[in-house]
Amino acid sequence: MSASDPARPVALLARPGQARERLRQALEAAGGRIVLEEDPCALDATALAAAAPQAVLVALEPAVEDALEALEPVLEAPGMLAIFDEAELAARRDVWEAQRLIRHLSAKLNGHDDVLPP
C-alpha cells in the first residue's frame, strides 16, 4: 500500500497466546492496520464498533464461541469483512503456511485475487 492508500483498519479478536501473536504478525505483513486487539471474551459489540474496523480477524476456538454471538451485530454489519481462522492452526503454522496466510489476508484486505507466491 502506498502513502496515499492507507492500510485497512482491522480488529484482531483472539485470546492471548501464540495464535494471537502469529495472526498479528500476519496481519501486519499483509498490510492491515490493527485498530483493536482484544480477547473476544472481554469485549462487547459497542467497544468493537467504536474501534471502527473495516475488517475483523477472529481466532476461532471453543472458548470464544459464546462471546462471538454477542459480537454478531458488528461482525455481520454491511461492509464488514469478517475473516475467521482456527486458533490451533494459527499457533502451529510453519513458515510456508504462514506465508500463504499472509498472501490470502493481503488479497482479502486489499480486494484482489493475487495469492500466488512471487
Side-chain angles (χ1 to χ4, degrees), residues 93-104 115 117:
R93 277 193 180 99
D94 64 22
V95 174
W96 185 88
E97 291 170 327
Q99 290 298 316
R100 182 176 176 272
L101 173 64
I102 291 167
R103 291 190 305 273
H104 282 265
V115 296

Side-chain angles (χ1 to χ4, degrees), residues 49-68:
Q54 293 177 0
V56 178
L57 175 57
V58 180
L60 292 174
E61 58 182 306
V64 303
E65 287 179 13
D66 290 339
L68 292 179

Side-chain angles (χ1 to χ4, degrees), residues 4 20 33 47-48 52 54-55 58 60-61 64-65 69 72 74 90 92 98 107 109 111:
S4 63
R20 183 159 136 179
R33 179 172 50 90
L48 177 56
Q54 293 177 0
V58 180
L60 292 174
E61 58 182 306
V64 303
E65 287 179 13
E69 287 183 29
E72 278 182 10
V74 179
R92 59 183 170 94
L109 294 175

Side-chain angles (χ1 to χ4, degrees), residues 10-24:
V10 181
L12 172 57
L13 304 184
R15 294 185 338 143
Q18 187 69 25
R20 183 159 136 179
E21 296 294 321
R22 292 208 172 159
L23 290 174
R24 179 188 322 108

Side-chain angles (χ1 to χ4, degrees), residues 18 34 37 59 70-71 88 100 104:
Q18 187 69 25
I34 299 173
E37 182 175 323
L71 301 174
E88 182 180 334
R100 182 176 176 272
H104 282 265

